């Protein structure tokens, strides 16, 4: 767990340095390549099955729109804001998700959802800056 905490906390300053050295697209590609290699090693050990061929186009679309967009936008954002600000925005992203699903999908704000959002905000507020 300590390794995960150290890697997560160092990611935002590392992105800042990496964008300067590698460029936006190259850094995004490298981060996704490292994640893909890790998944290739861990997936068979974890018993993850291969997807059906008919699911591959949708999986590819999700990867392109979700992971690629996230990496490129995060790296681009780090060019314009400090690493600590980017870290805080990512930390409170689940709260934004709750608010957006309430507004656009009419999801109810249950007591558990509100409590979880308050905990997420409190964690982000007391978390040391990256």
């Amino acid at each position: 767990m300590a390794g995960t905490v150290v890697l997560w906390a160092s990611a935002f300053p590392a992105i800042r340095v990496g964008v300067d050295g590698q460029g936006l697209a190259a850094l995004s590609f490298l981060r996704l390549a490292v994640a893909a290699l890790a998944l290739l090693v861990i997936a068979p050990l974890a018993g993850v099955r291969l997807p059906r061929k008919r699911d591959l186009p949708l999986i590819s679309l999700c990867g392109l729109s979700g992971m690629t967009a996230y990496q490129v936008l995060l790296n681009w954002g780090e060019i314009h804001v400090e690493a600590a600000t980017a870290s805080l925005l990512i930390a409170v992203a689940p709260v934004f998700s709750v608010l957006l699903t309430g507004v656009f999908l009419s999801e109810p704000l249950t007591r558990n959802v509100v409590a979880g959002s308050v905990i997420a905000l409190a964690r982000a507020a007391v978390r040391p800056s990256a």
Side-chain angles (χ1 to χ4, degrees), residues 1-77:
M1 285 180 40
T4 301
V5 171
V6 169
L7 288 173
W8 182 264
S10 64
F12 296 96
I15 290 169
R16 186 74 170 201
V17 172
V19 166
D20 291 339
Q22 297 294 320
L24 185 68
L27 181 62
S28 299
F29 175 78
L30 287 171
R31 291 186 67 182
L32 289 171
V34 168
L37 288 173
L39 184 59
L40 281 173
V41 170
I42 294 171
L45 301 173
V48 176
R49 66 175 176 81
L50 291 174
R52 296 177 296 215
K53 285 187 181 186
R54 68 179 183 171
D55 294 332
L56 291 177
L58 187 56
I59 291 169
S60 298
L61 178 65
C62 289
L64 181 63
S65 64
M67 290 307 299
T68 303
Y70 171 79
Q71 292 297 325
V72 170
L73 292 172
L74 174 64
N75 295 341
W76 177 79

